[in-house]
Short mmCIF file of all heavy atoms in Angstrom, two decimals:
data_model
loop_
_atom_site.label_atom_id
_atom_site.label_comp_id
_atom_site.label_asym_id
_atom_site.label_seq_id
_atom_site.Cartn_x
_atom_site.Cartn_y
_atom_site.Cartn_z
N LEU O 143 -79.52 90.23 141.84
CA LEU O 143 -78.49 91.21 142.39
C LEU O 143 -78.85 92.63 141.77
O LEU O 143 -79.00 92.81 140.64
CB LEU O 143 -77.06 90.91 142.00
CG LEU O 143 -75.96 91.89 142.27
CD1 LEU O 143 -75.80 92.15 143.74
CD2 LEU O 143 -74.69 91.31 141.69
N GLU O 144 -78.81 93.69 142.68
CA GLU O 144 -78.99 95.00 142.26
C GLU O 144 -77.95 95.80 143.03
O GLU O 144 -77.94 95.86 144.25
CB GLU O 144 -80.42 95.53 142.56
CG GLU O 144 -80.62 97.00 142.07
CD GLU O 144 -82.12 97.44 142.11
OE1 GLU O 144 -82.98 96.49 142.25
OE2 GLU O 144 -82.30 98.68 142.16
N ALA O 145 -76.98 96.48 142.33
CA ALA O 145 -75.91 97.15 142.95
C ALA O 145 -75.54 98.39 141.99
O ALA O 145 -75.46 98.24 140.83
CB ALA O 145 -74.77 96.32 143.22
N ASP O 146 -75.23 99.47 142.65
CA ASP O 146 -74.72 100.67 141.92
C ASP O 146 -73.25 100.44 141.44
O ASP O 146 -72.86 100.80 140.40
CB ASP O 146 -74.71 101.89 142.72
CG ASP O 146 -76.19 102.40 142.98
OD1 ASP O 146 -76.94 102.13 142.24
OD2 ASP O 146 -76.45 102.95 144.04
N HIS O 147 -72.51 99.70 142.31
CA HIS O 147 -71.15 99.43 142.03
C HIS O 147 -70.71 98.06 142.56
O HIS O 147 -70.91 97.74 143.69
CB HIS O 147 -70.25 100.44 142.59
CG HIS O 147 -68.79 100.34 142.33
ND1 HIS O 147 -67.71 100.70 143.13
CD2 HIS O 147 -68.20 99.76 141.19
CE1 HIS O 147 -66.54 100.45 142.54
NE2 HIS O 147 -66.84 99.88 141.39
N LEU O 148 -70.26 97.24 141.70
CA LEU O 148 -69.83 95.86 142.00
C LEU O 148 -68.38 95.71 141.60
O LEU O 148 -67.92 96.09 140.50
CB LEU O 148 -70.58 94.80 141.28
CG LEU O 148 -70.13 93.42 141.26
CD1 LEU O 148 -70.42 92.72 142.68
CD2 LEU O 148 -70.80 92.54 140.22
N ASN O 149 -67.53 95.27 142.56
CA ASN O 149 -66.04 95.18 142.38
C ASN O 149 -65.66 93.90 143.07
O ASN O 149 -66.18 93.49 144.09
CB ASN O 149 -65.34 96.45 142.72
CG ASN O 149 -63.97 96.52 142.08
OD1 ASN O 149 -63.63 95.71 141.25
ND2 ASN O 149 -63.26 97.60 142.30
N PHE O 150 -64.50 93.40 142.69
CA PHE O 150 -63.75 92.35 143.41
C PHE O 150 -62.50 92.95 143.91
O PHE O 150 -61.72 93.59 143.29
CB PHE O 150 -63.42 91.13 142.50
CG PHE O 150 -64.46 90.21 142.15
CD1 PHE O 150 -65.44 90.62 141.32
CD2 PHE O 150 -64.68 88.99 142.82
CE1 PHE O 150 -66.59 89.79 141.00
CE2 PHE O 150 -65.66 88.21 142.54
CZ PHE O 150 -66.63 88.50 141.62
N SER O 151 -62.29 92.71 145.29
CA SER O 151 -61.01 93.18 145.90
C SER O 151 -60.22 91.93 146.17
O SER O 151 -60.44 91.21 147.04
CB SER O 151 -61.29 94.02 147.14
OG SER O 151 -60.10 94.45 147.71
N LEU O 152 -59.19 91.73 145.36
CA LEU O 152 -58.53 90.52 145.38
C LEU O 152 -57.34 90.40 146.38
O LEU O 152 -56.98 89.47 146.81
CB LEU O 152 -57.97 90.20 143.98
CG LEU O 152 -59.03 90.13 142.79
CD1 LEU O 152 -58.45 89.79 141.54
CD2 LEU O 152 -60.10 89.15 143.21
N THR O 153 -56.78 91.54 146.63
CA THR O 153 -55.59 91.62 147.46
C THR O 153 -55.82 92.61 148.72
O THR O 153 -54.95 93.09 149.16
CB THR O 153 -54.29 92.11 146.69
OG1 THR O 153 -54.66 93.39 146.09
CG2 THR O 153 -54.04 91.22 145.51
N GLY O 154 -57.00 92.69 149.11
CA GLY O 154 -57.36 93.64 150.15
C GLY O 154 -57.38 94.99 149.70
O GLY O 154 -57.65 95.94 150.56
N GLY O 155 -57.21 95.32 148.44
CA GLY O 155 -57.37 96.69 147.94
C GLY O 155 -58.05 96.73 146.66
O GLY O 155 -59.07 95.95 146.47
N ALA O 156 -57.56 97.42 145.64
CA ALA O 156 -58.19 97.44 144.38
C ALA O 156 -57.96 96.24 143.56
O ALA O 156 -57.06 95.41 143.91
CB ALA O 156 -57.72 98.77 143.55
N ALA O 157 -58.56 96.11 142.43
CA ALA O 157 -58.48 94.91 141.62
C ALA O 157 -57.06 94.84 141.04
O ALA O 157 -56.36 95.81 140.77
CB ALA O 157 -59.37 95.02 140.39
N ALA O 158 -56.54 93.59 141.11
CA ALA O 158 -55.16 93.35 140.72
C ALA O 158 -55.06 93.26 139.21
O ALA O 158 -55.92 93.19 138.51
CB ALA O 158 -54.68 92.12 141.31
N ASP O 159 -53.76 93.26 138.82
CA ASP O 159 -53.50 93.20 137.29
C ASP O 159 -52.87 91.92 136.92
O ASP O 159 -52.23 91.26 137.73
CB ASP O 159 -52.53 94.41 136.97
CG ASP O 159 -53.29 95.70 136.90
OD1 ASP O 159 -54.50 95.69 136.67
OD2 ASP O 159 -52.65 96.76 137.08
N GLU O 160 -53.00 91.63 135.61
CA GLU O 160 -52.23 90.51 134.95
C GLU O 160 -52.14 89.23 135.77
O GLU O 160 -53.20 88.62 136.20
CB GLU O 160 -50.88 91.01 134.56
CG GLU O 160 -50.93 92.13 133.50
CD GLU O 160 -51.90 91.74 132.36
OE1 GLU O 160 -51.68 90.63 131.80
OE2 GLU O 160 -52.71 92.53 132.01
N ASP O 161 -50.94 88.79 136.13
CA ASP O 161 -50.72 87.39 136.76
C ASP O 161 -51.49 87.29 138.11
O ASP O 161 -52.03 86.28 138.34
CB ASP O 161 -49.22 87.16 136.99
CG ASP O 161 -48.43 87.08 135.63
OD1 ASP O 161 -49.10 86.74 134.61
OD2 ASP O 161 -47.25 87.11 135.71
N GLU O 162 -51.53 88.49 138.80
CA GLU O 162 -52.39 88.33 140.09
C GLU O 162 -53.84 88.05 139.87
O GLU O 162 -54.44 87.35 140.69
CB GLU O 162 -52.11 89.60 140.87
CG GLU O 162 -52.44 89.45 142.27
CD GLU O 162 -51.89 90.63 143.08
OE1 GLU O 162 -51.42 91.57 142.55
OE2 GLU O 162 -52.15 90.55 144.36
N HIS O 163 -54.37 88.47 138.67
CA HIS O 163 -55.79 88.24 138.39
C HIS O 163 -55.95 86.78 138.25
O HIS O 163 -56.93 86.06 138.66
CB HIS O 163 -56.11 88.94 137.03
CG HIS O 163 -56.88 90.24 137.24
ND1 HIS O 163 -58.10 90.27 137.90
CD2 HIS O 163 -56.57 91.48 136.86
CE1 HIS O 163 -58.51 91.48 137.88
NE2 HIS O 163 -57.61 92.31 137.30
N VAL O 164 -55.07 86.06 137.43
CA VAL O 164 -55.20 84.63 137.35
C VAL O 164 -54.92 83.88 138.70
O VAL O 164 -55.63 83.02 138.88
CB VAL O 164 -54.17 84.20 136.16
CG1 VAL O 164 -54.25 82.63 136.03
CG2 VAL O 164 -54.36 85.01 134.98
N GLN O 165 -54.00 84.29 139.40
CA GLN O 165 -53.66 83.58 140.64
C GLN O 165 -54.84 83.69 141.60
O GLN O 165 -55.19 82.74 142.37
CB GLN O 165 -52.49 84.21 141.27
CG GLN O 165 -52.03 83.61 142.54
CD GLN O 165 -50.89 84.29 143.23
OE1 GLN O 165 -50.34 85.18 142.62
NE2 GLN O 165 -50.44 83.86 144.36
N HIS O 166 -55.62 84.83 141.61
CA HIS O 166 -56.66 85.04 142.55
C HIS O 166 -58.01 85.10 141.71
O HIS O 166 -58.87 85.94 142.12
CB HIS O 166 -56.49 86.35 143.29
CG HIS O 166 -55.20 86.23 144.11
ND1 HIS O 166 -55.14 85.53 145.29
CD2 HIS O 166 -54.01 86.97 143.98
CE1 HIS O 166 -53.86 85.73 145.81
NE2 HIS O 166 -53.23 86.52 145.06
N ARG O 167 -58.25 84.19 140.81
CA ARG O 167 -59.45 84.19 140.03
C ARG O 167 -60.63 83.94 140.98
O ARG O 167 -60.49 83.28 142.01
CB ARG O 167 -59.44 83.29 138.91
CG ARG O 167 -59.22 81.79 139.26
CD ARG O 167 -58.77 80.98 138.10
NE ARG O 167 -58.58 79.64 138.54
CZ ARG O 167 -59.52 78.65 138.37
NH1 ARG O 167 -60.64 78.92 137.79
NH2 ARG O 167 -59.25 77.39 138.76
N SER O 168 -61.77 84.40 140.66
CA SER O 168 -62.94 84.24 141.49
C SER O 168 -64.14 83.77 140.58
O SER O 168 -64.00 83.61 139.39
CB SER O 168 -63.25 85.45 142.27
OG SER O 168 -64.21 85.12 143.24
N CYS O 169 -65.35 83.67 141.20
CA CYS O 169 -66.53 83.30 140.45
C CYS O 169 -67.72 84.02 141.06
O CYS O 169 -67.84 84.17 142.18
CB CYS O 169 -66.57 81.78 140.66
SG CYS O 169 -68.26 81.09 140.03
N LEU O 170 -68.51 84.59 140.12
CA LEU O 170 -69.73 85.21 140.57
C LEU O 170 -70.87 84.60 139.79
O LEU O 170 -70.84 84.54 138.45
CB LEU O 170 -69.73 86.67 140.24
CG LEU O 170 -71.09 87.47 140.49
CD1 LEU O 170 -71.50 87.41 141.94
CD2 LEU O 170 -70.97 88.89 139.92
N VAL O 171 -71.92 84.10 140.47
CA VAL O 171 -73.10 83.50 139.72
C VAL O 171 -74.28 84.31 140.26
O VAL O 171 -74.57 84.24 141.48
CB VAL O 171 -73.21 82.02 140.07
CG1 VAL O 171 -74.46 81.38 139.39
CG2 VAL O 171 -72.06 81.24 139.45
N VAL O 172 -74.98 84.85 139.32
CA VAL O 172 -76.23 85.59 139.71
C VAL O 172 -77.40 84.84 139.18
O VAL O 172 -77.62 84.77 137.86
CB VAL O 172 -76.21 87.01 139.31
CG1 VAL O 172 -77.59 87.78 139.65
CG2 VAL O 172 -75.14 87.87 139.81
N ASP O 173 -78.12 84.08 139.98
CA ASP O 173 -79.31 83.31 139.58
C ASP O 173 -80.49 84.21 139.70
O ASP O 173 -81.17 84.28 140.80
CB ASP O 173 -79.35 82.09 140.49
CG ASP O 173 -80.45 81.03 139.92
OD1 ASP O 173 -80.79 81.18 138.71
OD2 ASP O 173 -80.86 80.14 140.67
N GLY O 174 -80.97 84.82 138.66
CA GLY O 174 -82.04 85.84 138.62
C GLY O 174 -81.65 87.10 138.05
O GLY O 174 -80.50 87.25 137.46
N PRO O 175 -82.45 88.13 138.02
CA PRO O 175 -82.18 89.35 137.33
C PRO O 175 -81.02 90.19 137.99
O PRO O 175 -80.83 90.05 139.15
CB PRO O 175 -83.42 90.10 137.46
CG PRO O 175 -84.15 89.65 138.69
CD PRO O 175 -83.76 88.20 138.69
N ALA O 176 -80.27 90.91 137.19
CA ALA O 176 -79.26 91.69 137.65
C ALA O 176 -79.36 93.14 137.08
O ALA O 176 -79.56 93.24 135.87
CB ALA O 176 -77.89 91.09 137.34
N ARG O 177 -79.30 94.10 138.03
CA ARG O 177 -79.28 95.48 137.58
C ARG O 177 -78.05 96.17 138.21
O ARG O 177 -77.90 96.12 139.46
CB ARG O 177 -80.56 96.28 138.08
CG ARG O 177 -81.84 95.83 137.39
CD ARG O 177 -83.01 96.60 137.76
NE ARG O 177 -82.82 97.87 137.31
CZ ARG O 177 -83.17 98.47 136.12
NH1 ARG O 177 -83.62 97.60 135.16
NH2 ARG O 177 -82.95 99.74 135.86
N LEU O 178 -77.16 96.60 137.31
CA LEU O 178 -75.78 97.03 137.97
C LEU O 178 -75.48 98.45 137.31
O LEU O 178 -75.81 98.63 136.08
CB LEU O 178 -74.75 96.05 137.49
CG LEU O 178 -74.94 94.57 138.02
CD1 LEU O 178 -74.03 93.59 137.38
CD2 LEU O 178 -74.86 94.52 139.50
N GLY O 179 -74.84 99.30 138.04
CA GLY O 179 -74.23 100.46 137.60
C GLY O 179 -72.89 100.19 136.86
O GLY O 179 -72.82 99.95 135.69
N LEU O 180 -71.88 100.19 137.71
CA LEU O 180 -70.48 99.88 137.32
C LEU O 180 -70.12 98.49 137.83
O LEU O 180 -70.16 98.32 139.10
CB LEU O 180 -69.51 100.89 137.71
CG LEU O 180 -68.01 100.59 137.50
CD1 LEU O 180 -67.70 100.42 136.02
CD2 LEU O 180 -67.20 101.62 138.08
N ALA O 181 -69.92 97.48 137.03
CA ALA O 181 -69.60 96.17 137.46
C ALA O 181 -68.16 95.81 136.95
O ALA O 181 -67.91 95.91 135.68
CB ALA O 181 -70.56 95.20 137.05
N VAL O 182 -67.20 95.35 137.79
CA VAL O 182 -65.90 95.06 137.33
C VAL O 182 -65.75 93.41 137.72
O VAL O 182 -65.78 93.14 138.88
CB VAL O 182 -64.78 95.78 138.11
CG1 VAL O 182 -63.36 95.39 137.63
CG2 VAL O 182 -64.96 97.28 137.91
N LEU O 183 -65.45 92.70 136.78
CA LEU O 183 -65.33 91.26 136.94
C LEU O 183 -63.93 90.88 136.62
O LEU O 183 -63.19 91.26 135.61
CB LEU O 183 -66.27 90.46 135.86
CG LEU O 183 -67.72 90.64 136.10
CD1 LEU O 183 -68.55 89.85 135.01
CD2 LEU O 183 -68.22 90.31 137.44
N PRO O 184 -63.30 90.07 137.60
CA PRO O 184 -61.99 89.69 137.40
C PRO O 184 -61.82 88.38 136.63
O PRO O 184 -62.76 87.86 136.11
CB PRO O 184 -61.53 89.55 138.87
CG PRO O 184 -62.72 88.79 139.44
CD PRO O 184 -63.89 89.53 138.79
N ALA O 185 -60.56 87.89 136.52
CA ALA O 185 -60.27 86.55 135.87
C ALA O 185 -61.11 85.56 136.74
O ALA O 185 -61.36 85.65 137.87
CB ALA O 185 -58.85 86.23 136.04
N GLY O 186 -61.69 84.59 135.99
CA GLY O 186 -62.59 83.57 136.64
C GLY O 186 -63.80 83.32 135.74
O GLY O 186 -63.96 83.85 134.60
N ARG O 187 -64.69 82.63 136.36
CA ARG O 187 -65.93 82.18 135.54
C ARG O 187 -67.15 82.76 136.23
O ARG O 187 -67.37 82.54 137.45
CB ARG O 187 -65.99 80.56 135.48
CG ARG O 187 -64.78 80.05 134.75
CD ARG O 187 -64.74 78.57 134.88
NE ARG O 187 -63.63 78.09 134.00
CZ ARG O 187 -63.27 76.76 133.87
NH1 ARG O 187 -63.99 75.88 134.55
NH2 ARG O 187 -62.44 76.36 133.12
N HIS O 188 -68.02 83.43 135.48
CA HIS O 188 -69.06 84.11 135.96
C HIS O 188 -70.33 83.84 135.04
O HIS O 188 -70.26 83.55 133.89
CB HIS O 188 -68.86 85.68 136.03
CG HIS O 188 -67.49 85.96 136.42
ND1 HIS O 188 -67.10 85.94 137.76
CD2 HIS O 188 -66.34 86.39 135.84
CE1 HIS O 188 -65.81 86.27 137.92
NE2 HIS O 188 -65.40 86.55 136.71
N ALA O 189 -71.55 83.81 135.60
CA ALA O 189 -72.73 83.54 134.93
C ALA O 189 -73.86 84.32 135.53
O ALA O 189 -74.04 84.52 136.75
CB ALA O 189 -73.08 82.05 134.97
N PHE O 190 -74.84 84.79 134.60
CA PHE O 190 -75.96 85.53 134.93
C PHE O 190 -77.06 84.66 134.28
O PHE O 190 -77.18 84.66 132.99
CB PHE O 190 -75.90 86.97 134.35
CG PHE O 190 -74.84 87.72 135.00
CD1 PHE O 190 -73.55 87.71 134.63
CD2 PHE O 190 -75.09 88.65 136.03
CE1 PHE O 190 -72.59 88.50 135.13
CE2 PHE O 190 -74.21 89.39 136.74
CZ PHE O 190 -72.83 89.30 136.23
N THR O 191 -77.99 84.18 135.06
CA THR O 191 -79.05 83.38 134.52
C THR O 191 -80.30 84.13 134.20
O THR O 191 -81.08 83.64 133.37
CB THR O 191 -79.48 82.23 135.50
OG1 THR O 191 -80.21 82.92 136.66
CG2 THR O 191 -78.29 81.45 136.06
N GLY O 192 -80.46 85.35 134.67
CA GLY O 192 -81.57 86.11 134.39
C GLY O 192 -81.27 87.37 133.50
O GLY O 192 -80.18 87.42 133.00
N GLU O 193 -82.23 88.26 133.33
CA GLU O 193 -81.94 89.41 132.49
C GLU O 193 -81.03 90.32 133.17
O GLU O 193 -81.00 90.41 134.43
CB GLU O 193 -83.27 90.19 132.25
CG GLU O 193 -84.20 89.45 131.33
CD GLU O 193 -85.40 90.31 130.86
OE1 GLU O 193 -85.39 91.54 131.18
OE2 GLU O 193 -86.22 89.82 130.00
N VAL O 194 -80.16 90.99 132.36
CA VAL O 194 -79.04 91.86 132.85
C VAL O 194 -79.16 93.28 132.32
O VAL O 194 -79.47 93.36 131.11
CB VAL O 194 -77.69 91.32 132.52
CG1 VAL O 194 -76.61 92.27 132.97
CG2 VAL O 194 -77.39 89.94 133.16
N HIS O 195 -79.27 94.27 133.20
CA HIS O 195 -79.05 95.62 132.68
C HIS O 195 -78.01 96.25 133.42
O HIS O 195 -77.90 96.42 134.64
CB HIS O 195 -80.47 96.28 133.06
CG HIS O 195 -80.39 97.76 132.55
ND1 HIS O 195 -81.30 98.68 132.83
CD2 HIS O 195 -79.53 98.44 131.70
CE1 HIS O 195 -81.07 99.88 132.24
NE2 HIS O 195 -79.94 99.71 131.55
N CYS O 196 -76.87 96.62 132.69
CA CYS O 196 -75.60 97.18 133.32
C CYS O 196 -75.21 98.41 132.55
O CYS O 196 -75.13 98.31 131.25
CB CYS O 196 -74.55 96.08 133.22
SG CYS O 196 -73.05 96.50 133.93
N ARG O 197 -75.00 99.42 133.25
CA ARG O 197 -74.52 100.61 132.64
C ARG O 197 -73.04 100.49 132.08
O ARG O 197 -72.79 100.84 130.96
CB ARG O 197 -74.62 101.79 133.57
CG ARG O 197 -76.00 102.15 133.87
CD ARG O 197 -76.20 103.36 134.79
NE ARG O 197 -75.57 104.60 134.10
CZ ARG O 197 -75.40 105.72 134.67
NH1 ARG O 197 -75.69 105.93 136.02
NH2 ARG O 197 -74.93 106.78 134.09
N THR O 198 -72.16 99.94 132.86
CA THR O 198 -70.78 99.82 132.44
C THR O 198 -70.28 98.55 133.07
O THR O 198 -70.23 98.36 134.24
CB THR O 198 -69.87 100.93 132.92
OG1 THR O 198 -70.38 102.18 132.39
CG2 THR O 198 -68.42 100.74 132.38
N LEU O 199 -69.86 97.56 132.22
CA LEU O 199 -69.41 96.25 132.58
C LEU O 199 -67.87 96.25 132.11
O LEU O 199 -67.59 96.40 130.93
CB LEU O 199 -70.09 95.14 131.87
CG LEU O 199 -69.50 93.80 132.14
CD1 LEU O 199 -69.50 93.39 133.55
CD2 LEU O 199 -70.43 92.72 131.40
N ALA O 200 -66.99 96.13 133.06
CA ALA O 200 -65.49 96.05 132.86
C ALA O 200 -65.17 94.55 133.08
O ALA O 200 -65.11 94.09 134.19
CB ALA O 200 -64.72 96.96 133.66
N CYS O 201 -64.79 93.89 132.04
CA CYS O 201 -64.10 92.46 132.17
C CYS O 201 -62.67 92.71 132.25
O CYS O 201 -62.10 92.99 131.23
CB CYS O 201 -64.58 91.58 131.10
SG CYS O 201 -66.35 91.24 131.09
N ALA O 202 -62.04 92.55 133.42
CA ALA O 202 -60.81 93.08 133.69
C ALA O 202 -59.51 92.22 133.30
O ALA O 202 -58.47 92.56 133.54
CB ALA O 202 -60.64 93.48 135.13
N HIS O 203 -59.84 91.00 132.76
CA HIS O 203 -58.74 90.22 132.32
C HIS O 203 -59.16 89.23 131.30
O HIS O 203 -60.30 88.81 131.13
CB HIS O 203 -58.23 89.48 133.51
CG HIS O 203 -56.93 88.77 133.43
ND1 HIS O 203 -56.71 87.48 132.91
CD2 HIS O 203 -55.57 89.13 133.65
CE1 HIS O 203 -55.40 87.14 132.89
NE2 HIS O 203 -54.79 88.17 133.30
N TYR O 204 -58.21 88.79 130.40
CA TYR O 204 -58.53 87.86 129.29
C TYR O 204 -59.01 86.50 129.85
O TYR O 204 -59.53 85.75 129.06
CB TYR O 204 -57.40 87.85 128.35
CG TYR O 204 -56.09 87.20 128.75
CD1 TYR O 204 -55.93 85.76 128.86
CD2 TYR O 204 -55.13 88.02 129.27
CE1 TYR O 204 -54.84 85.30 129.41
CE2 TYR O 204 -53.97 87.48 129.72
CZ TYR O 204 -53.77 86.06 129.80
OH TYR O 204 -52.57 85.55 130.30
N SER O 205 -58.69 86.18 131.03
CA SER O 205 -59.16 84.83 131.59
C SER O 205 -60.44 84.98 132.32
O SER O 205 -60.84 84.17 133.09
CB SER O 205 -58.02 84.39 132.61
OG SER O 205 -56.90 84.02 131.86
N CYS O 206 -61.19 86.03 132.01
CA CYS O 206 -62.54 86.24 132.57
C CYS O 206 -63.60 85.61 131.54
O CYS O 206 -63.45 85.93 130.48
CB CYS O 206 -62.79 87.78 132.70
SG CYS O 206 -64.44 88.25 133.12
N ASN O 207 -64.41 84.73 132.03
CA ASN O 207 -65.37 84.12 131.19
C ASN O 207 -66.82 84.46 131.65
O ASN O 207 -67.02 84.14 132.94
CB ASN O 207 -65.08 82.64 131.10
CG ASN O 207 -63.91 82.22 130.41
OD1 ASN O 207 -63.76 82.36 129.16
ND2 ASN O 207 -62.84 81.89 131.15
#
Side-chain angles (χ1 to χ4, degrees):
L143 170 64
E144 184 172 341
D146 293 331
H147 184 208
L148 170 71
N149 201 357
F150 281 78
S151 184
L152 304 181
T153 57
D159 285 331
E160 294 310 311
D161 293 340
E162 200 166 2
H163 261 299
V164 178
Q165 181 182 355
H166 298 290
R167 64 197 175 97
S168 192
C169 172
L170 171 67
V171 177
V172 179
D173 191 16
R177 294 185 63 84
L178 304 167
L180 171 63
V182 182
L183 297 180
R187 297 172 172 180
H188 317 288
F190 296 81
T191 70
E193 291 194 359
V194 174
H195 184 187
C196 182
R197 292 183 63 190
T198 301
L199 173 62
C201 296
H203 195 271
Y204 63 84
S205 292
C206 172
N207 294 285

